[in-house]
Amino acid sequence: MPLTHWFYRFFEFGKIQILILQITALIFSFILIDEYDVWIRILQVLTLINIIGHLVTLSKYTSFHKSVQKEPCDISSEIITVLSANVFQENKEYEQFIALINKYNPDIFLTMESDKNWEKALSVLDNKYIYSVKVALDNTYGMHLYSKLKITNHSVHYFVADDLPSIEAIIRTADNFEFTFFAVHPPPPSPTEEENSKERDGELLSIAKKIKQNADTCVVVGDFNNVAWAKSSILFRKTSETIDGRIGRGFISSFHTKYWFLRFPIDLMFHTSDVFIDELKSLEHFGSDHFPIYAKFFINKKTSEQEHLTENLEEGEHEIVQEIIIEGINEKSDNRN
């Protein structure tokens, strides 16, 4: 993919903020500029075209966009609840997070940036969440998966780097519905971390290919360090043939908790067409730089109501996906040399 440097990726992240600034600038240009100037008019028209483009892209992530809503029925699973949180490794507010878990009582919860200290603090929940997959790392890419529902099998993958895990778990509900749960947390392109998005995109698309190859019913959650409308997120959705859980439900911005004007929806959820989301929202602050994400969903394998929401890779995109994966692997190798 062209223009992978973090500077260009920032403009994908800030599409909502850019839209607001453009609308504000256009309104004030009409209020403050009285005299006619052809170049001003040209700029106003170009700004309006840009605004329309942003609105078209973002409109599907608003509540005005129709998304499939289906009530559970006799052939559906019971409601399953998931809480996903980037806890911020340096955050020591362990009790606040544990209180959050006890308050919402999810069937499954996922932590990212969780190290040995977080693992020790969360051990008080081990009796309640008897199934778990624990990958404690001190490089801000540790992750822990806790479940009341039975984890029948699991794998920890390292697709592009041996210090960047993702978790794949087969989970069975009490009413014998089985699904694959993927936990993801690739590195962000930023001036303080990765110079470009190659490693992030390679990791995400490796997971997408894995989902397409092996998974049946599937839910993918985590800190994607990406926005849903970015090209790489769209390729992820097409490659995995999953549905973006945010469509029709709002932006649900999750990062950064301290700066409301620089808040981006980067903690995402994707799912296969037989998974129906009943609720998706962010929760209250607990000391991290991310808000946690909470979802309720159920499984219904006997309906095809959502199949039209999935998309497939177009001609030439398979090659693009493979190139991005190779670039991600090579980027990590180059950084070590």
Side-chain angles (χ1 to χ4, degrees):
M1 288 174 67
L3 304 178
T4 59
H5 192 274
W6 66 264
F7 176 79
Y8 300 105
R9 297 281 71 83
F10 172 79
F11 292 99
E12 284 183 327
F13 278 61
K15 191 175 285 289
I16 300 170
Q17 289 83 353
I18 291 169
L19 173 62
I20 293 169
L21 289 173
Q22 287 178 329
I23 292 173
T24 304
L26 185 62
I27 291 171
F28 275 97
S29 73
F30 283 107
I31 294 173
L32 299 177
I33 301 174
D34 293 330
E35 59 188 58
Y36 179 84
D37 185 304
V38 65
W39 293 110
I40 294 295
R41 292 292 179 258
I42 290 172
L43 286 174
Q44 288 173 331
V45 170
L46 292 175
T47 302
L48 180 60
I49 292 171
N50 223 316
I51 288 170
I52 293 170
H54 285 313
L55 288 173
V56 170
T57 299
L58 296 174
S59 62
K60 66 175 65 175
Y61 302 100
T62 68
S63 56
F64 298 107
H65 186 89
K66 296 293 183 182
S67 61
V68 173
Q69 299 273 356
K70 185 175 175 63
E71 292 294 323
C73 60
D74 292 340
I75 55 174
S76 301
S77 73
E78 296 178 353
I79 291 289
I80 302 161
T81 55
V82 175
L83 190 153
S84 168
N86 182 322
V87 297
F88 183 47
Q89 186 172 294
E90 301 305 316
N91 176 23
K92 305 303 181 186
E93 301 293 339
Y94 308 123
E95 293 302 321
Q96 280 196 50
F97 182 72
I98 292 168
L100 192 77
I101 296 299
N102 288 329
K103 177 181 177 180
Y104 289 95
N105 195 29
D107 297 312
I108 303 163
F109 77 88
L110 168 70
T111 63
M112 292 152 287
E113 290 201 27
S114 40
D115 57 8
K116 278 291 185 183
N117 292 326
W118 271 96
E119 184 176 305
K120 182 179 179 181
L122 294 176
S123 64
V124 298
L125 297 170
D126 283 345
N127 290 334
K128 188 176 182 180
Y129 292 87
I130 59 175
Y131 304 99
S132 61
V133 182
K134 300 176 180 180
V135 188
L137 298 173
D138 59 5
N139 64 351
T140 73
Y141 291 102
M143 57 172 54
H144 290 70
L145 174 64
Y146 296 83
S147 178
K148 295 178 184 177
L149 308 178
K150 186 175 183 179
I151 297 177
T152 61
N153 196 8
H154 77 272
S155 301
V156 179
H157 300 290
Y158 298 87
F159 288 111
V160 301
D162 58 11
D163 57 354
L164 184 61
S166 60
I167 295 173
E168 177 186 9
I170 309 299
I171 299 178
R172 182 176 297 147
T173 67
D175 49 352
N176 286 320
F177 282 78
E178 196 168 79
F179 65 98
T180 301
F181 184 96
F182 263 96
V184 307
H185 182 208
S190 76
T192 58
E193 297 196 49
E194 297 297 322
E195 185 180 72
N196 57 56
S197 64
K198 291 180 181 179
E199 194 174 341
R200 180 201 67 186
D201 296 341
E203 174 76 6
L204 289 176
L205 292 177
S206 296
I207 292 167
K209 284 188 68 176
K210 183 74 173 175
I211 292 167
K212 173 60 179 171
Q213 290 166 359
N214 297 341
D216 182 14
T217 304
C218 186
V219 171
V220 193
V221 299
D223 175 5
F224 279 63
N225 277 312
N226 206 8
V227 286
W229 50 81
K231 178 64 175 176
S232 51
S233 284
I234 294 169
L235 285 175
F236 174 91
R237 177 164 50 81
K238 287 181 172 183
T239 303
S240 60
E241 296 183 11
T242 54
I243 299 168
D244 182 354
R246 270 176 169 72
I247 292 179
R249 294 184 173 86
F251 299 119
I252 317 176
S253 295
S254 57
F255 173 89
H256 193 288
T257 56
K258 290 183 179 179
Y259 311 116
W260 62 267
F261 53 91
L262 285 176
R263 194 165 287 171
F264 310 115
I266 63 174
D267 292 87
L268 306 180
M269 177 178 183
F270 293 85
H271 58 88
T272 47
S273 61
D274 51 358
V275 171
F276 291 80
I277 295 181
D278 183 61
E279 184 178 16
L280 182 64
K281 63 182 181 180
S282 60
L283 301 180
E284 55 265 35
H285 182 233
F286 64 92
S288 175
D289 52 357
H290 287 246
F291 292 106
I293 298 296
Y294 179 78
K296 293 181 179 180
F297 66 90
F298 61 91
I299 301 166
N300 186 342
K301 293 177 173 290
K302 302 296 184 180
T303 179
S304 59
E305 283 193 23
Q306 290 189 137
E307 285 186 1
H308 68 286
L309 297 176
T310 62
E311 294 182 67
N312 300 315
L313 290 171
E314 299 171 15
E315 185 177 353
E317 288 185 330
H318 289 90
E319 291 77 11
I320 293 172
V321 166
Q322 193 57 38
E323 286 174 11
I324 292 171
I325 292 171
I326 292 170
E327 283 185 354
I329 295 170
N330 291 340
E331 178 70 13
K332 189 61 178 181
S333 299
D334 291 344
N335 287 342
R336 283 184 172 160
N337 293 333

